[in-house]
Amino acid sequence: MAQRTVSVVVIGGSHAGLAVCQKLLRRTTRVHITLISPSQDYYFNIAAPRFLVKSNSLQQSSYLHSITDAFSEHSSDKFTFIRGVAVAIDDGKKTVSASVITDSAVTTGNTFGYDYLVIASGSTTPATLGQSGLKIPFKATAFEDTKAAIHEAQKKLAAADSIIIGGGGPLGVEMAGELAEAPGGKKIILVSQTDALLVGATPTVQKRSLALLNQKNVHVILGSRVESAQYSADAKVWSVKLASGRTITADQYIASTGVVPNNDFIPKRFLNAGGWVNVDDQLRVLQQDKPCSNIYALGDITMHADRLLSRVSIQGDVVAANIVAGMMEQEGARTYLAEAQRKMMVVPVGQSTGTGHFGGWTLMGCLVWYFKGKDFLVYEAPKFLRGAMK
């Protein structure tokens, strides 16, 4: 008797969702995967600070890749791509409801059944959602034309003579470094609510990042939180009020702090107080501390605080292996150890230098350039797209 094909629905077509799809298809021929994602493109957003500021520095084809092309070797009975947004999960009926775009029209009431469900919907940022400051596509959003959003942000950044960046984390530091090198000699102000840049980095790396930005004439304000940001259409200027009471102005304001979980469709009982999905060490979704045997989550959407791209492939391996083991009723589930990797931070500060650390080792500027700064890792994008990263 032929073995039954197992239906797997994966929600999210970014790094984590693609990793699970590719790894599952390589492990077994008994699955049909339905991937639900709001965009047909895989967006390698890691490189956003470079191509958003320096539009001619990278080819568009290096950071936007067709998802369907990446799975073209698989027949429709093995893989189906749905351009849509999940709106609800019914774990009792084992279904996902989604709004789907076809022929430029959005249809509702679409339902997809599953034997196994993988939640890889990730997170977004306030800047991506346009909640504060200039709308910057640091992440892809539902049904948005990512290419158009990128071009609009590039145009506005190029036209600005002065820019305030709120947030002294890696993204804020990288954006400041790139903008400081943009044509026209822009005035860049970076505001950090902490007393040092790059919280979580070693003290040496924190001091080095500040020194590099100072060398590039970036004005850094430490220990001062952004309280509000308002745009005046008449004056065409952003007024940014700091917690100290001081107000600074610029042509554009970029909010580079905070992440927002893409969780609107996820049952509240799966989420922690912060809105992230609770998972166990096998990456099974937890419901009142009890694991769901057929629902997994990985990537940015989970409660694991270290939302690092370097961990996506490991998590993908764990989820794919455990789904196959469940299908085969095998023992020996794979586990994910969140602290299994040595802490690493690599932060380019402009085109040719940067700082960072691997464990306790400080990385020289030339090493930061070699590993990330020269092209922001776009050469790795096809590997993530095909789930080949280790």
Side-chain angles (χ1 to χ4, degrees):
M1 179 183 293
Q3 293 179 310
R4 183 177 73 88
T5 297
V6 172
S7 175
V8 180
V9 171
V10 178
I11 301 173
S14 191
H15 319 295
L18 294 173
V20 170
C21 292
Q22 295 283 19
K23 292 172 186 294
L24 261 178
L25 288 167
R26 284 199 289 270
R27 282 180 176 271
T28 179
T29 60
R30 284 186 52 202
V31 293
H32 174 266
I33 297 175
T34 300
L35 172 62
I36 303 173
S37 177
S39 175
Q40 295 172 317
D41 294 317
Y42 165 57
Y43 180 31
F44 194 73
N45 62 312
I46 305 304
R50 176 63 49 79
F51 62 72
L52 286 172
V53 176
K54 302 168 183 173
S55 57
N56 296 322
S57 61
L58 298 170
Q59 293 290 327
Q60 183 176 273
S61 59
S62 69
Y63 55 83
L64 285 175
H65 300 262
S66 168
I67 292 176
T68 53
D69 285 353
F71 288 87
S72 59
E73 66 185 277
H74 302 287
S75 61
S76 59
D77 63 334
K78 298 300 178 187
F79 178 83
T80 300
F81 175 79
I82 301 294
R83 187 181 179 196
V85 175
V87 297
I89 295 171
D90 187 329
D91 53 313
K93 295 181 179 178
K94 297 184 180 180
T95 60
V96 174
S97 299
S99 296
V100 175
I101 187 168
T102 54
D103 298 326
S104 300
V106 177
T107 62
T108 58
N110 303 278
T111 302
F112 303 90
Y114 64 82
D115 295 304
Y116 288 90
L117 174 64
V118 179
I119 303 172
S121 52
S123 63
T124 189
T125 69
T128 300
L129 298 172
Q131 293 178 344
S132 60
L134 175 64
K135 189 178 186 323
I136 298 282
F138 290 130
K139 304 259 190 173
T141 56
F143 297 147
E144 183 176 56
D145 185 333
T146 306
K147 296 174 187 176
I150 290 171
H151 292 159
E152 183 66 16
Q154 288 172 332
K155 183 172 67 174
K156 289 184 176 180
L157 289 174
D161 293 323
S162 57
I163 299 173
I164 299 169
I165 301 170
L171 181 58
V173 171
E174 289 176 353
M175 285 295 293
E178 295 298 313
L179 285 164
E181 295 179 349
K186 300 179 187 297
K187 178 184 177 182
I188 308 300
I189 302 174
L190 177 67
V191 181
S192 173
Q193 69 174 356
T194 56
D195 293 328
L197 299 176
L198 303 178
V199 170
T202 63
T204 300
V205 169
Q206 292 176 334
K207 292 175 183 177
R208 180 60 177 160
S209 64
L210 179 59
L212 288 172
L213 289 178
N214 286 336
Q215 289 172 18
K216 294 181 180 294
N217 297 316
V218 174
H219 180 46
V220 180
I221 302 174
L222 296 174
S224 192
R225 178 176 54 84
V226 172
E227 194 170 81
S228 64
Q230 304 241 341
Y231 180 70
S232 170
D234 293 334
K236 296 183 179 179
V237 68
W238 281 90
S239 295
V240 177
K241 183 179 179 181
L242 307 182
S244 63
R246 177 185 176 188
T247 297
I248 53 179
T249 61
D251 297 333
Q252 295 291 352
Y253 169 65
I254 301 172
S256 69
T257 59
V259 287
V260 181
N262 294 324
N263 65 5
D264 290 347
F265 64 96
I266 302 173
K268 301 300 182 187
R269 60 186 180 279
F270 293 168
L271 307 175
N272 66 11
W276 308 100
V277 177
N278 287 311
V279 292
D280 67 2
D281 62 359
Q282 297 176 34
L283 298 178
R284 296 177 298 183
V285 171
L286 291 173
Q287 180 176 196
Q288 297 177 342
D289 296 328
K290 294 181 179 179
C292 301
S293 62
N294 66 334
I295 305 179
Y296 292 83
L298 75 163
D300 283 6
I301 192 60
T302 72
M303 33 68 80
H304 290 298
D306 290 329
R307 298 180 174 91
L308 304 175
L309 185 59
S310 59
R311 305 202 173 176
V312 165
S313 185
I314 298 170
Q315 293 181 356
D317 280 330
V318 170
V319 172
N322 288 340
I323 288 176
V324 171
M327 291 166 50
M328 304 296 185
E329 299 182 353
Q330 296 173 341
E331 299 294 331
R334 290 274 298 275
T335 58
Y336 170 69
L337 301 177
E339 302 302 322
Q341 292 181 312
R342 185 177 293 184
K343 291 290 183 69
M344 178 172 64
M345 183 182 290
V346 183
V347 183
V349 183
Q351 188 79 32
S352 59
T353 189
T355 187
H357 64 91
F358 180 66
W361 295 89
T362 300
L363 301 177
M364 297 173 59
C366 58
L367 288 177
V368 174
W369 169 84
Y370 180 78
F371 286 115
K372 186 176 179 183
K374 60 182 177 180
D375 54 14
F376 269 77
L377 301 175
V378 291
Y379 67 93
E380 299 281 18
K383 297 179 183 179
F384 281 101
L385 183 61
R386 291 171 174 79
M389 289 300 296
K390 293 293 183 185

